[in-house]
């Protein structure tokens, strides 16, 4: 059964937000406008909307974490079990955190202290809010780590955040949030950057812990697939306002607002797009027998060697898109970095058009780099924050001999091609939204007129509507320019929307390679089937929703 069938009519309200407004401290301009939300005991409320809709500001207001001097509550109330949190002293709100309200943040690597062992970080919550002994605190930490299904808890207790996987770090954050059994758990996009199988595990874990402890959950997400899996009630936000709320089944089947319908239409389905025609006369990229072995290191204790990629083979004709999918650690990004020669492969051939580049020295490789360009996951980190967009777009062409005036004119054309105004040339990355920054990163890659474009998780951090726009942009650029695209993703739903062919990787090996239609409809490998089954909201046919909307 897809939707939860639970009634909360008789359940007491844990959180009651009434007419909450938040404004800029400098000029009072409203960021939230009369937001009202109710969450009852044991209920999961999903707060959805595009980036900038006010979801995270709402959660920060509840936690009393609005940035001082920047945002302030201007109206309304936030009641936790009848107690108004607005106006509480800093000591008062601090006392309620972890005990009554806890929060799981989107990126655990930035939320966790990198120089503290993770066990000590969980114990710090107990030491701050209770007076139990160190021995008892340690035991409670180990108990909660077992509850969140971490393996070898004694070893992980002593580990630092960088020594754990993304899924393990997120489990540490959940353990930290639930160690004092709060009445309300706020989860702000906790699974966005995780692969689908880890995401499914985390969602199941939160649901089980919620059932065991009777915790109310406010789950912030932009993924309607996740909403279909976990929500009891859904609140939809747009530009700081709640525009619609309803039980999950009613909202997904009969959305009232056009904005909600637009979010639903943007959800990628597992139905693959029609394949592009194949240009059999020319292969843009050919990979043969690619291996990457990381040798063990260490003076006193030698770590074992890791075979990150083994005997990887595929070909991408011009104008086609090949997707590489798999869990974190499957070898997807290793293959992409080897192809880009950001790391050196241990063995194998990489041919761009007719040139073998795997064995070229750095100097020999330089003239060929313009033929293969990459778009990274986080454009804010890949764009130089001190450079204008114009400088970022002209750097590559100028380095390869294009006159400055011609490069600037070409940059203006590229901005128009990716749907941005020409005046963006004089602005800086921080002046754009996440989706706009990714468009700039794509324009920078296309500026070199490459034969191959590598997109490494290029849409995984974007909300679904912006994600759909960027996928459409890549599709249009491919049709206009005839480039081949190597698309790295952990999400088979995204792969279905853009890929003609799909390679599935597990533990460094290719376990399946076929057309997207065959991989998604007739998977041969058990691992591929597990990835498909883990896709959030798989049982709710969003493709069918789009067809019904079109009728």
């Amino acid at each position: 059964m897809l939707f939860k069938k639970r009634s909360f009519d008789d359940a007491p309200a844990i959180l009651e937000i009434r007419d909450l407004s938040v404004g800029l401290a400098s000029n009072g301009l409203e960021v939230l406008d009369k937001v009202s939300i109710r969450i009852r005991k044991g209920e999961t409320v999903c707060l959805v909307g595009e980036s900038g809709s006010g979801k995270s500001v709402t959660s920060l207001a509840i936690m009393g974490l609005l940035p001082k001097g920047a945002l302030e509550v201007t109206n309304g109330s936030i009641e936790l079990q009848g107690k108004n949190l607005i106006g509480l002293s800093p000591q008062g709100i601090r006392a309620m955190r972890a005990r009554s309200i806890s929060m799981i943040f989107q990126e655990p690597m930035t939320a966790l202290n990198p120089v503290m062992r993770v066990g000590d970080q969980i114990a710090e919550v107990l030491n701050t809010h209770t007076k139990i002994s160190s021995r008892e605190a340690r035991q409670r930490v180990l108990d909660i780590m077992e509850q969140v299904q971490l393996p070898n808890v004694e070893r992980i207790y002593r580990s630092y955040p960088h020594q754990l996987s993304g899924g393990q770090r997120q489990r540490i954050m959940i353990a930290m949030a639930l160690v004092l059994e709060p009445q309300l758990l706020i989860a702000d996009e906790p699974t966005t950057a995780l692969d689908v199988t880890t995401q499914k595990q985390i969602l199941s874990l939160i649901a089980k812990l919620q059932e065991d402890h009777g915790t109310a959950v406010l789950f912030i997400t932009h993924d309607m697939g996740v909403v279909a899996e976990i929500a009891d009630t859904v609140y939809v936000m747009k530009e700081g306002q709640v525009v619609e709320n309803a039980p999950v089944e009613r909202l997904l089947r009969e959305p009232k607002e056009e904005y909600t319908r637009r979010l639903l239409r943007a959800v990628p389905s597992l139905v693959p797009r029609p394949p592009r025609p194949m240009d059999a006369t020319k292969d843009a990229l050919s990979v043969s027998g690619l291996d990457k072995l990381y040798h063990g290191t260490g003076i006193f204790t030698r770590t074992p060697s890791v075979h990150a990629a083994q005997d990887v083979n595929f070909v991408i004709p011009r104008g086609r898109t090949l997707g590489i999918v798999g869990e974190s650690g499957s070898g997807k990004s290793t293959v992409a970095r080897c192809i880009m020669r950001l790391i050196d492969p241990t063995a194998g051939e990489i041919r761009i058009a007719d040139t073998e580049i795997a064995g070229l020295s750095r100097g020999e490789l330089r003239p060929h780099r313009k033929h293969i360009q990459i778009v990274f996951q986080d454009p804010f980190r890949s764009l130089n924050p001190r450079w204008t967009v114009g400088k970022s777009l002209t750097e590559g062409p100028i380095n390869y001999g294009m006159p400055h005036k011609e490069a600037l004119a070409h940059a203006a054309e590229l901005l128009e091609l990716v749907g941005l105004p020409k005046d963006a040339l004089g602005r800086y990355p921080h002046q754009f939204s996440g989706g706009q920054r990714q468009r700039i990163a794509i324009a920078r890659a296309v500026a070199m007129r490459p034969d191959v474009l590598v997109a490494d998780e290029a849409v995984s951090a974007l909300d679904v509507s912006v994600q759909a726009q960027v996928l459409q942009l890549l599709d249009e650029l491919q049709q206009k320019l005839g480039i081949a695209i190597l698309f790295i993703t952990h999400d088979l739903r995204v792969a279905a929307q853009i890929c003609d062919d799909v390679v599935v990787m597990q533990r460094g090996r290719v376990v399946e390679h076929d057309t997207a239609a065959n991989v998604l409809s007739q998977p041969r490998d058990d691992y591929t089937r597990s990835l498909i089954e883990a896709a959030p909201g798989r049982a709710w046919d969003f493709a069918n929703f789009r067809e019904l909307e079109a009728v």
Side-chain angles (χ1 to χ4, degrees):
M1 182 175 63
L2 177 62
F3 300 111
K4 297 181 179 182
K5 299 289 185 182
R6 304 193 298 181
S7 173
F8 294 92
D9 294 341
D10 299 326
I14 297 295
L15 182 75
E16 185 88 45
I17 302 176
R18 295 189 182 94
D19 296 329
L20 177 67
S21 296
V22 172
L24 296 174
S26 57
N27 56 19
L29 184 67
E30 286 191 334
V31 177
L32 296 184
D33 182 18
K34 295 182 179 178
V35 170
S36 295
I37 298 171
R38 174 185 292 175
I39 308 176
R40 289 159 289 196
K41 184 175 181 180
E43 182 181 22
T44 299
V45 168
C46 279
L47 193 59
V48 302
E50 296 173 297
S51 298
S53 61
K55 307 185 302 293
S56 292
V57 172
T58 301
S59 68
L60 293 175
I62 297 168
M63 292 292 295
L65 293 174
L66 290 174
K68 291 180 180 178
L71 295 174
E72 59 186 11
V73 175
T74 57
N75 185 62
S77 63
I78 303 173
E79 293 186 1
L80 183 71
Q81 293 185 309
K83 184 174 185 178
N84 192 356
L85 305 183
I86 304 296
L88 278 182
S89 65
Q91 293 79 10
I93 193 68
R94 193 179 302 121
M96 298 199 71
R97 293 190 196 124
R99 278 185 172 277
S100 302
I101 316 173
S102 279
M103 189 165 180
I104 307 168
F105 294 94
Q106 177 174 351
E107 180 44 71
M109 198 60 181
T110 56
L112 292 170
N113 189 328
V115 297
M116 262 181 92
R117 300 180 192 275
V118 294
D120 292 336
Q121 294 189 54
I122 302 174
E124 186 179 38
V125 178
L126 294 168
N127 296 334
T128 301
H129 294 278
T130 68
K131 295 182 179 180
I132 62 176
S133 66
S134 298
R135 189 173 187 176
E136 188 178 353
R138 177 182 171 81
Q139 188 55 51
R140 286 184 64 175
V141 170
L142 294 173
D143 289 344
I144 193 67
M145 289 171 72
E146 287 181 349
Q147 285 185 51
V148 299
Q149 300 168 15
L150 282 164
N152 196 348
V153 293
E154 287 283 357
R155 178 186 65 80
I156 288 184
Y157 188 106
R158 300 188 298 272
S159 300
Y160 293 94
H162 72 273
Q163 296 174 308
L164 306 179
S165 69
Q168 288 174 332
R169 286 194 291 266
Q170 199 60 283
R171 288 169 191 267
I172 292 294
M173 289 294 298
I174 294 171
M176 193 180 301
L178 293 177
V179 69
L180 288 176
E181 299 187 10
Q183 287 86 34
L184 175 67
L185 175 66
I186 301 173
D188 188 2
E189 301 273 13
T191 61
T192 297
L194 303 178
D195 60 62
V196 287
T197 49
T198 305
Q199 180 185 66
K200 185 176 182 179
Q201 293 166 7
I202 295 296
L203 294 177
S204 299
L205 173 62
I206 291 174
K208 182 180 185 304
L209 293 171
Q210 178 187 31
E211 186 178 336
D212 293 345
H213 300 283
T215 311
V217 175
L218 176 62
F219 198 100
I220 297 169
T221 183
H222 62 251
D223 191 335
M224 284 295 193
V226 170
V227 170
E229 292 281 347
I230 69 168
D232 296 301
T233 306
V234 185
Y235 287 75
V236 182
M237 292 193 72
K238 178 187 178 186
E239 297 175 357
Q241 295 181 321
V242 173
V243 296
E244 185 168 0
N245 73 89
V248 60
E249 184 172 8
R250 192 201 315 162
L251 185 128
L252 292 183
R253 294 193 188 281
E254 302 173 359
K256 294 179 180 178
E257 294 292 321
E258 171 56 29
Y259 177 71
T260 307
R261 289 194 288 270
R262 181 155 62 86
L263 290 179
L264 290 171
R265 285 195 294 268
V267 176
S269 80
L270 283 166
V271 178
R273 75 171 191 185
R276 293 241 174 261
M278 184 182 298
D279 182 358
T281 62
K282 188 171 183 181
D283 292 333
L285 174 66
S286 173
V287 175
S288 176
L290 180 66
D291 270 51
K292 179 59 183 177
L293 179 67
Y294 290 102
H295 294 285
T297 57
I299 299 174
F300 301 107
T301 58
R302 186 173 179 82
T303 58
S305 298
V306 176
H307 224 142
Q310 301 181 59
D311 194 25
V312 176
N313 303 275
F314 59 80
V315 170
I316 313 179
R318 283 188 61 83
R320 299 267 290 189
T321 298
L322 175 83
I324 303 183
V325 301
E327 298 171 293
S328 298
S330 61
K332 309 184 303 295
S333 291
T334 296
V335 169
R337 292 186 179 110
C338 284
I339 290 170
M340 290 297 304
R341 286 296 308 275
L342 298 176
I343 56 176
D344 294 328
T346 306
E349 286 190 353
I350 302 166
R351 288 189 173 273
I352 304 296
D354 296 322
T355 304
E356 206 289 310
I357 66 168
L360 298 181
S361 67
R362 296 295 168 184
E364 293 170 331
L365 183 64
R366 190 179 184 278
H368 301 285
R369 283 203 178 276
K370 64 181 179 181
H371 298 297
I372 181 166
Q373 294 291 301
I374 190 167
V375 180
F376 293 100
Q377 178 176 351
D378 185 353
F380 198 65
R381 291 174 63 186
S382 61
L383 293 171
N384 190 326
R386 297 183 179 182
W387 284 9
T388 63
V389 169
K391 186 169 182 180
S392 288
L393 295 186
T394 57
E395 179 200 20
I398 289 173
N399 284 345
Y400 279 88
M402 185 180 287
H404 182 270
K405 187 175 181 179
E406 185 181 339
L408 207 56
H410 182 49
E413 292 173 4
L414 287 169
L415 285 180
E416 187 175 349
L417 194 64
V418 300
L420 290 174
K422 291 183 180 180
D423 65 7
L425 286 173
R427 291 154 64 188
Y428 291 87
H430 73 273
Q431 296 174 298
F432 297 89
S433 69
Q436 289 173 324
R437 284 195 291 266
Q438 197 61 294
R439 287 172 180 268
I440 293 166
I442 292 169
R444 181 181 63 176
V446 172
M448 301 303 297
R449 297 173 179 147
D451 296 309
V452 180
L453 183 67
V454 178
D456 190 2
E457 298 282 9
V459 298
S460 64
L462 305 176
D463 61 58
V464 286
S465 54
V466 177
Q467 183 183 85
Q469 293 166 14
V470 172
L471 292 177
Q472 180 65 30
L473 170 63
L474 288 172
D475 186 64
E476 291 170 358
L477 289 173
Q478 187 173 51
Q479 292 185 58
K480 291 176 182 177
L481 306 176
I483 56 177
I485 298 177
L486 178 62
F487 195 89
I488 313 294
T489 181
H490 62 255
D491 192 338
L492 277 171
R493 299 175 306 168
V494 171
Q497 302 311 301
I498 193 170
C499 297
D500 303 298
D501 306 285
V502 171
V503 165
V504 182
M505 291 192 68
Q506 181 187 28
R507 297 172 188 162
R509 292 184 177 274
V510 174
V511 297
E512 192 151 356
H513 181 188
D514 208 334
T515 64
N518 287 343
V519 169
L520 294 171
S521 62
Q522 303 169 25
R524 297 188 304 271
D525 194 86
D526 289 341
Y527 177 69
T528 308
R529 284 191 283 272
S530 72
L531 291 179
I532 293 172
E533 289 168 3
R538 183 175 64 93
W540 170 248
D541 193 350
F542 289 98
N544 185 52
F545 173 84
R546 286 189 285 275
E547 290 172 7
L548 290 173
E549 281 283 290
V551 174

